[in-house]
Amino acid sequence: MSNSLDPAALDAALENVHRAGMPGVFAEVRDGEQVWHGACGVADVATGRPVTADMRHRVGSITKTFTAAAVLQQVEAGRIGLDTPIGRYLPGLVPGERGRTITVRMLVNHTSGLAEYLPYAYPSLKAFPALAETRPESLDDHRFTRFEPAELIERGVAAPAVGTPGGAPGVYSNTNYLLLTRLLEEVTGTTADRYITRNVIERAGLTDTGFPAGPHIEGPHSRLYEAWFGMIDPPRDYSVYDMSWVGPAASLISTVADLNRFFRLLLAGEIVGPSSLEQMRGTVPVITQDGKKGDYGLGLYPMEEPGRARFWGHGGTVWGAGALAMIRADGRRQMAVAVNLQRWNRLDPSGRPAPHPLDDALADLHRVAMYG
């Protein structure tokens, strides 16, 4: 294993992502006490304002790791049972047989069989995952919509099931994590974002991480450009957006430095205990939102190349913003990468995302960051 960073290789890999079409990309990579920060490209395509490595950023579903850690803290406190049916806690939200058979664990690892609510909340995305039949108009229609979590959960629970409870493979669904945030509220007596802030974010000493109080990102940040598979051309800025459409499932704002600190402390057993961390790293097969099969634990998933060390972490995407944070299993090597354009692939004649130079450039950046 490499014990040093190669700044020149990291600079080149970052530059290649920008050259391949990413407006702005920034990252932090750590190896022990060595730290590299890099930023390339623009935060605003109209003004040419550059991105910087300390910018605050919407990190999407990386939020799920924070939420899962909060749930496991309550498991440790004896207030939540991982294998207890969710209907015992939230009978009004998951009634009947599913409430009796879907456990808390199945929500955390996406094996509940509950459908994703998003296509039912955003009418122009109703055909998802049939991408060619979707349209992006709803993204603008709902820019300032204030969704109620119970309404979104109801849409996901009422939708046709995507699997049987505990079945394999599971199917990734934000409905699961909105239910977990309601569960946290039920057992703690406070809002999920307040509990996660006090007991996860503040425990980790994260000074630039938090849930948005409104549609704006406070502090230095980039504009966030959404292309929706070439249907928004040129890509449109969605940096100002009401994030109640995902809530504490994917609305967190952070920095690459804070993300690395969080995952470093998590794997060191300072956010949850060793037994909970072991549970988090117990994986099952899950179909991701882009239709690929992967392994998923309790708010964590692994990345590795054949014959090389395993990393743990999470990725995230919301309108215009993407991020990935990974830490080697021994806790020494880390990377956090943020980008300000999403769904850049146009669709091929079969309706699938066509290959784009950005795909290879980002994969190469991740390899250089993780393995040197």
Side-chain angles (χ1 to χ4, degrees):
M1 293 183 183
S2 169
N3 290 321
S4 62
L5 301 178
D6 185 342
L10 288 163
D11 288 341
L14 204 72
E15 175 68 27
N16 285 341
V17 172
H18 176 53
R19 286 179 179 169
M22 183 60 63
V25 53
F26 48 104
E28 179 188 87
V29 180
R30 305 178 67 96
D31 199 316
E33 298 302 313
Q34 292 185 295
V35 184
W36 169 89
H37 296 96
C40 190
V42 297
D44 187 327
V45 297
T47 66
R49 174 171 59 94
V51 288
T52 58
D54 60 351
M55 282 183 160
R56 302 187 78 228
H57 195 69
R58 298 198 193 276
V59 300
S61 284
I62 295 176
T63 312
K64 290 180 171 64
T65 312
F66 289 73
T67 301
V71 169
L72 283 160
Q73 287 176 352
Q74 291 299 298
V75 171
E76 292 173 354
R79 298 188 188 97
I80 293 175
L82 267 179
D83 296 307
T84 300
I86 190 61
R88 197 170 298 175
Y89 302 106
L90 303 172
L93 290 177
V94 192
E97 181 63 20
R98 285 200 290 183
R100 292 188 291 272
T101 55
I102 295 173
T103 66
V104 174
R105 185 188 303 274
M106 293 173 195
L107 297 174
V108 190
N109 68 11
H110 296 294
T111 59
S112 70
L114 293 172
E116 171 63 55
Y117 62 76
L118 185 61
Y120 302 94
Y122 279 63
S124 70
L125 307 184
K126 187 176 181 180
F128 187 87
L131 298 176
E133 298 174 31
T134 64
R135 292 295 180 267
E137 288 81 9
S138 294
L139 276 65
D140 287 311
D141 296 340
H142 287 315
R143 186 184 287 267
F144 296 109
T145 300
R146 193 69 187 168
F147 286 104
E148 291 298 324
E151 171 195 354
L152 297 173
I153 291 168
E154 182 180 358
R155 291 175 185 269
V157 172
V162 293
T164 57
V171 178
Y172 190 97
S173 168
N174 281 298
T175 304
N176 294 320
Y177 273 74
L178 281 193
L179 276 164
L180 291 171
T181 64
R182 294 306 298 267
L183 172 60
L184 279 172
E185 293 170 355
E186 179 72 18
V187 301
T188 66
T190 189
T191 63
D193 57 353
R194 191 172 296 133
Y195 178 86
I196 294 168
T197 298
R198 290 175 180 171
N199 295 277
V200 180
I201 295 170
E202 292 179 0
R203 180 181 293 193
L206 309 183
T207 57
D208 287 310
T209 299
F211 292 99
H216 296 270
I217 303 171
E218 299 298 327
H221 63 278
S222 171
R223 294 188 182 275
L224 305 174
Y225 298 101
E226 178 62 47
W228 195 257
F229 306 103
M231 297 180 209
I232 305 177
D233 187 15
R236 191 170 301 137
D237 170 30
Y238 287 106
S239 56
V240 177
Y241 210 93
D242 189 303
M243 297 302 291
S244 61
W245 66 280
V246 282
S251 64
L252 205 63
I253 296 168
S254 190
T255 63
V256 289
D258 266 12
L259 291 178
N260 274 340
R261 178 176 174 82
F262 168 68
F263 281 100
R264 189 162 62 253
L265 294 177
L266 180 67
L267 259 68
E270 297 187 33
I271 308 298
V272 299
S275 62
S276 293
L277 189 58
E278 184 177 352
Q279 294 271 8
M280 293 182 80
R281 291 187 289 196
T283 64
V284 294
V286 166
I287 303 298
T288 63
Q289 283 190 317
D290 56 5
K292 298 175 182 175
K293 188 184 242 185
D295 294 324
Y296 197 92
L298 302 185
L300 284 176
Y301 62 76
M303 282 180 67
E304 61 186 314
E305 291 190 352
R308 308 189 91 163
R310 172 172 282 198
F311 281 70
W312 289 95
H314 212 291
T317 174
V318 290
W319 312 136
L324 178 67
M326 284 282 154
I327 180 168
R328 201 164 65 196
D330 66 2
R332 183 175 178 89
R333 184 92 176 197
Q334 287 188 267
M335 73 158 184
V337 178
V339 296
N340 63 0
L341 170 68
Q342 287 296 281
R343 283 158 285 274
W344 51 78
N345 305 81
R346 292 180 179 269
L347 302 180
D348 66 19
S350 69
R352 297 186 184 91
H356 190 286
L358 268 172
D359 304 325
D360 291 336
L362 271 172
D364 182 61
L365 172 61
H366 297 156
R367 277 193 298 270
V368 173
M370 290 192 294
Y371 299 112

